[in-house]
Amino acid sequence: VSESGAPPEPVRRLEIVTIGDELLLGFTIDTNGAFLGRTLAAAGIEIVRRTTVGDGAADITRAVGDALERTGAVITTGGLGPTSDDATKPAIARLFGRDMRMDETIANDLRARWTARGWPGTLPTSNLQQAMIPESATILANRHGSAPGIWLEDDRGRWVAMLPGVPREMRGMLADTLLPRIAGKSDIDRPVIRSLTLRTTGIGESSLADLLGELASGIPGTTLAFLPGTAGVDLRVTVRGVPLPEATSRLENAAALLRERANPHVYGADDADLAAVVLDACRIQGFTLAVAESCTGGMLGARITAVPGSSDVFVGGVIAYADAIKSSYLAVPGAMLQEHGAVSEDVARAMASGVRAVTGADIGIAITGVAGPGGGSADKPVGTVCWAVDMRQTVKSRRRAMVGDRGEIRERSAQAALELVRRMLMAG
Ligand code: ATP
Ligand code: MG
């Protein structure tokens, strides 16, 4: 066992194997895989495949063996602990033809920790399992927990790095030990992987692709992904394998081209939040904001108030779920509710104007809809949503059939209402 060992060549491509029955059963979401993907990409290392296997030794051996055949560089997480379901080390040791040995340094360290914590008796034998290390392995120190990571390398330079499953320990070890080891020295010529996201809303994936025309099939030197969600369709541009200055200029160039085509639908970049964008625009124009919510039940208000500093723009609102509240607090005429029904553009408009009147805000936003799963009818099926904005007496409303389950319909509704405000603010 060596603590040092010559560091390997900087690596560009590798595979991930996440280990654990709980991952396959869906009780634990593989956040380790996601975190490794993001962190390694930022360091210019591409994950070309990610595999998840259960705790069985044979499955681990096969998955890691296959991955080694393909890339010669593999990171595993999970199964390093002291319990019998933790089979990662012996399974991979076998793959490298190495025996397991007790590492006295680790064993003593474990015993010392046990005593230092004032736990009774001596260290249980099962805990000593953690000190069993494959022959000629390199130890990756774990300052964040007890199970050390292991680095195994064969004479052809192919390697496996075994990290713990506990996400906090895995992240710590990656940053402290593994990343410096595999990323090599940072230099300006080092190839990187960089992405940029343009966030669009109010337009479907295929309409957006049509709008982008030939750009939709990719801008040379970049790849483009359409990522639809309840907030809208995100356009993610990625550049791989070029130095940072080149990557940055390619991304900026691609973003400019995409923005030019998709302009009115783009509300921001990267992790921009439409509520924050609307608040900023209101602040610049000196407008205050109030909400009147039926089917979203406060979701819009929650999104707005989740943004730090919203209080100088947002004054409050009314959750007008029952018709009686729409009438009494927002002055929606009873006859209008009778004639058009609560889910109608007329009622949405009356709610928006009503909330402006009671709060004195410059802008009133209203949402009323059928979130389902019950309550739909032939002319107003589940997903029918109406929303309206009253901006200093300029009133605009929309009606749309939203897709998705109850939660998605409500999220889409809040987003659509915010987008109408943004459009009206942009129009001046
Ligand atoms: P321990 O010493 O705690 O046993 P370990 O290396 O053996 O560590 P596991 O037993 O596989 O790790 O998992 C420990 C914890 O980390 C579990 O709660 C598990 O759900 C969680 N975990 C394991 N793998 C992942 C993963 N890929 N993503 C997120 N959480 C994970
Ligand atoms: Mg475990």
Side-chain angles (χ1 to χ4, degrees):
V1 177
S2 73
E3 180 70 58
S4 53
E9 284 294 293
V11 60
R12 300 280 171 247
R13 292 158 48 84
L14 53 73
E15 295 200 18
I16 301 288
V17 180
T18 55
I19 297 162
D21 285 346
E22 73 276 22
L23 300 171
L24 292 178
L25 293 169
F27 291 113
T28 301
I29 294 177
D30 184 4
T31 57
N32 285 353
F35 184 85
L36 284 164
R38 288 197 302 271
T39 311
L40 294 172
I45 300 166
E46 187 168 7
I47 294 182
V48 291
R49 186 187 297 235
R50 184 163 119 200
T51 311
T52 298
V53 292
D55 292 312
D59 293 327
I60 297 172
T61 307
R62 179 162 330 136
V64 173
D66 290 350
L68 270 180
E69 285 299 321
R70 286 186 292 259
T71 55
V74 182
I75 297 176
T76 70
T77 79
L80 288 186
T83 54
S84 61
D85 61 350
D86 295 320
T88 302
K89 279 184 290 181
I92 295 173
R94 206 167 307 129
L95 195 62
F96 281 75
R98 311 273 174 85
D99 289 329
M100 298 291 284
R101 295 255 170 86
M102 174 73 70
D103 184 294
E104 281 307 324
T105 313
I106 299 175
N108 287 333
D109 185 52
L110 290 171
R111 290 188 192 101
R113 276 166 181 268
W114 186 270
T115 317
R117 294 197 175 155
W119 287 330
T122 50
L123 184 77
T125 329
S126 69
N127 284 45
L128 270 181
Q129 184 66 30
Q130 290 181 76
M132 294 295 288
I133 301 298
E135 285 179 310
S136 356
T138 300
I139 309 294
L140 306 174
N142 185 353
R143 293 194 291 110
H144 313 268
S146 61
I150 309 286
W151 173 282
L152 264 186
E153 189 167 339
D154 69 11
D155 48 15
R156 293 159 54 192
R158 305 186 312 166
W159 57 266
V160 179
M162 293 163 244
L163 303 183
V166 180
R168 188 179 46 79
E169 296 182 21
M170 186 282 300
R171 290 196 299 267
M173 200 180 285
L174 181 69
D176 295 351
T177 335
L178 184 57
L179 205 49
R181 202 178 165 79
I182 62 177
K185 298 235 176 337
S186 68
D187 63 81
I188 197 78
D189 295 329
R190 184 167 58 89
V192 297
I193 303 168
R194 286 289 185 279
S195 298
L196 180 150
T197 303
L198 289 184
R199 309 209 70 184
T200 75
T201 195
I203 181 168
E205 195 176 354
S206 36
S207 309
L208 184 58
D210 288 348
L211 191 62
L212 293 177
E214 84 286 353
L215 299 181
S217 45
I219 298 162
T222 70
T223 57
L224 179 64
F226 288 73
L227 306 169
T230 53
V233 179
D234 289 342
L235 293 171
R236 180 170 303 147
V237 191
T238 301
V239 175
R240 291 183 175 79
V242 296
L244 184 59
E246 171 67 13
T248 309
S249 84
R250 281 193 203 176
L251 285 179
E252 281 169 2
N253 172 52
L257 290 171
L258 292 168
R259 261 185 196 277
E260 205 175 289
R261 294 277 171 91
N263 190 22
H265 305 282
V266 178
Y267 65 85
D270 296 327
D271 49 8
D273 170 22
L274 185 54
V277 170
V278 165
L279 283 168
D280 285 344
C282 286
R283 197 171 287 120
I284 287 167
Q285 302 192 27
F287 285 173
T288 56
L289 204 59
V291 297
E293 302 190 58
S294 185
C295 67
T296 47
M299 195 179 252
L300 182 56
R303 274 197 61 187
I304 292 170
T305 54
V307 181
S310 51
S311 61
D312 55 358
V313 171
F314 185 64
V315 298
V318 177
I319 299 175
Y321 213 55
D323 284 2
I325 304 299
K326 292 182 179 78
S327 299
S328 57
Y329 285 82
L330 298 172
V332 179
M336 184 187 279
L337 286 160
Q338 281 283 310
E339 190 186 341
H340 301 286
V343 179
S344 59
E345 286 189 63
D346 289 274
V347 169
R349 296 166 80 93
M351 287 168 67
S353 301
V355 81
R356 267 198 69 209
V358 291
T359 60
D362 297 297
I363 301 174
I365 317 176
I367 304 175
T368 175
V370 189
S377 65
D379 59 331
K380 288 174 188 169
V382 168
T384 305
V385 180
C386 300
W387 62 96
V389 173
D390 180 339
M391 182 180 295
R392 294 197 167 161
Q393 286 172 17
T394 302
V395 185
K396 288 193 191 298
S397 60
R398 298 281 185 271
R399 170 181 170 143
R400 195 174 302 148
M402 304 272 183
V403 296
D405 62 20
R406 183 176 174 85
E408 288 164 341
I409 289 166
R410 284 156 40 96
E411 283 170 20
R412 289 181 199 280
S413 302
Q415 184 78 352
L418 285 168
E419 176 63 2
L420 182 55
V421 182
R422 189 184 71 91
R423 295 289 181 107
M424 290 174 69
L425 284 165
M426 280 195 329

